[in-house]
Amino acid sequence: MARHHFNLHLVSDATGETLIAASRAVSAQYQGICSLEHVYPMVRSVAQLDKAIAEIEAAPGMVLFTLVDPQHAQRLTEACTRIGAPCLSVLAPIMTLFESYIGPAVKPRPGAQHMLNADYFRRIDALNFTMMHDDGQQSESYEAADVVLMGVSRTSKTPTSIYLANRGVKTANLPFVPNTPLPKSIEKLRNPLVVGLLASPERIVQIRANRLLSLHADPESPYVDRRLVAEEVAQSRKLFEEHGWPTIDVTRRSIEETAAAIIDLHKLHKLKFISAA
């Protein structure tokens, strides 16, 4: 009988985000099979580690870990060998590569990637800015943004903006509404990169219909009229072309893929901006 799920234990001395991201990237390659995640974050003492080991023994499965303390890593590895649970240090191959090139780290630092450094506060600042400039708010201060996203309703402007903010990119987003003039400040922007988000009318209608369904609204609303939606998209595309703003078709893109493309565009934009200064 085919296995449709399995236990996956993720043991970390930090938040576990690295393990979750890495394991899900691999799990996604297996259709019809899902992992039952058991996450053990902030494991920094023997007592915490032994508790995780006890749970692994109770529900055997694969074990991935990020433990920079070598004694903790050895203790977990030995326990997994005894239990018969395959385990892997996700950081070990990367640490080995780093050590071969730049030498060993002076002192192991659990959760060092989450220290309150300048990059951390930059991301918090970006997130605050992005939330304050969502859906056309405070357009008079868009000049302080790194990126301004535009598009018709349901082109994933807000989730993309939040994702970018978590990468430290101050992002504002502005909905395109047919026959509604843009804020005057948009025409004068110099610092931000303005990006137009596009999607196929069919995809937008599908998302809007689901939105109306969740709100128990009229399913026959013009908001989901295929012809009107197609006109909206065409008008937005024309606007982006008139201003020379780069566009991204988000029809078949995930938020992460869209954000990655925007970050690449922003890097080029900054270089041009610096060259022109």
Side-chain angles (χ1 to χ4, degrees), residues 223-241:
Y223 185 61
V224 291
D225 183 283
R226 169 64 175 74
R227 181 182 60 79
L228 294 178
V229 171
E231 289 180 4
E232 281 186 59
V233 174
Q235 288 181 38
S236 69
R237 186 188 297 275
K238 181 180 179 182
L239 175 71
F240 303 151
E241 290 176 350

Side-chain angles (χ1 to χ4, degrees), residues 139-140 142 174 181-189 243 245:
S139 60
E140 68 281 357
Y142 276 7
L174 178 68
L182 295 176
K184 293 182 179 179
S185 58
I186 297 295
E187 306 287 344
K188 302 176 182 179
L189 292 179
H243 288 80
W245 293 329

Side-chain angles (χ1 to χ4, degrees), residues 23-161:
S23 62
R24 288 182 180 175
V26 177
S27 295
Q29 308 304 313
Y30 293 85
Q31 295 185 6
I33 301 177
C34 65
S35 60
L36 303 179
E37 294 178 348
H38 306 264
V39 185
Y40 312 92
M42 310 304 289
V43 176
R44 299 183 180 180
S45 69
V46 172
Q48 292 170 325
L49 182 57
D50 286 345
K51 182 179 179 181
I53 290 172
E55 294 192 28
I56 293 169
E57 192 165 13
M62 286 195 295
V63 179
L64 300 179
F65 66 91
T66 51
L67 299 172
V68 298
D69 186 313
Q71 293 182 339
H72 288 174
Q74 182 179 354
R75 188 182 186 89
L76 177 59
T77 300
E78 291 175 350
C80 287
T81 300
R82 173 176 54 80
I83 296 169
C87 72
L88 173 70
S89 169
V90 172
L91 292 182
I94 303 173
M95 288 290 291
T96 299
L97 180 63
F98 269 60
E99 289 175 2
S100 68
Y101 192 73
I102 59 177
V106 177
K107 182 181 179 182
R109 296 189 298 163
Q113 72 271 36
H114 301 296
M115 291 178 64
L116 304 185
N117 54 20
D119 181 64
Y120 174 84
F121 288 109
R122 181 172 63 87
R123 288 189 285 115
I124 294 301
D125 185 41
L127 186 58
N128 286 334
F129 180 92
T130 299
M131 297 304 293
M132 291 173 61
H133 294 80
D134 181 44
D135 201 30
Q137 297 183 77
Q138 300 190 30
S139 60
E140 68 281 357
S141 56
Y142 276 7
E143 186 61 35
D146 296 313
V147 171
V148 176
L149 302 181
M150 289 186 62
V152 304
S153 174
R154 301 295 118 184
T155 47
S156 302
K157 296 184 298 298
T158 294
T160 303
S161 296

